[in-house]
Amino acid sequence: MARRRIGFWYRFAAVLVKPPLMVLIKRDWRGMENIPAEGGFITAVNHNSHVDPFAYAHYQYNTGRVPRFLAKAGLFKKGFVGAAMRGTGQIPVYRESTDALSAFRAAIDAVERGECVAFYPEGTLTRDPDGWPMTGKTGAARVALQTRCPVIPVAQWGANELLPPYAKKPDILPRKTHHVLAGPPVDLSRYYDREMSPDLLREVTEVIMAAITAQLELIRGEKAPENVYDPREVRIAQRRKAAAKSKAQQEEGQGT
């Protein structure tokens, strides 16, 4: 299917956003040849700064295949923000849906129309202490298996040096470099004829996240940790530690 035209709203956003990005960051952009020229596809991207959606959108805008990001459906309803979200073709996610696949129906429809849908599979800024990708959520895997579209793993690094995760002020000088590397499509064909179970979705998500991490290893010139940071496991461990500490304090108090 032919690609959709960029349109007025996306060009208007580019006019607003590109000039400050050009001033703030240098660019080391590679792998654009792996972005499909036609048809629907997914990009799966790591997330390590509040700035990187803009920096990454700049990268992909320059390929001619603009990304359609997923966002909460409520953002599309009112005012200028809603008009801009609708006008730039961003994808509403209906999290109130009881059907996990229906929650991503708009993303599936966009891919089937020939759009690029950009996923941040981690769902939030990475909490890995060294900035490596965390475990991912299964939304990208769901859409990929439903549509059988190409999944392009994309790694980025450098926006996090301009604005580190959860930092309040940017570190402007010296001027940072935004590195982006898009890899070849992830081969998911061996999963297409299997039942879409939670175990399958987790396995496919791990394959996608491993492909993103491999691209980031190339950018950083080092190997990622063998154990992927899992925020859920960290929270469980923290709760257990807090409960054990509280119990020890109670027992100590009873013994005095």
Side-chain angles (χ1 to χ4, degrees), residues 41-56:
F41 65 101
I42 288 171
T43 56
V45 192
N46 67 310
H47 190 20
N48 54 28
S49 172
H50 287 301
V51 175
D52 70 42
F54 301 100
Y56 168 66

Side-chain angles (χ1 to χ4, degrees), residues 96-112:
E96 67 274 12
S97 173
T98 57
D99 180 354
L101 194 58
S102 295
F104 293 97
R105 173 51 57 187
I108 292 169
D109 291 344
V111 170
E112 291 177 343

Side-chain angles (χ1 to χ4, degrees), residues 178-214:
H178 182 228
H179 305 270
V180 183
L181 178 58
V186 183
D187 183 7
L188 301 177
S189 59
R190 63 190 182 277
Y191 300 108
Y192 287 161
D193 295 323
R194 292 170 56 181
E195 181 182 357
M196 196 181 298
S197 66
D199 287 342
L200 177 65
L201 290 170
R202 282 192 293 270
E203 184 177 347
V204 172
T205 300
E206 288 173 3
V207 171
I208 293 171
M209 295 307 300
I212 298 171
T213 301

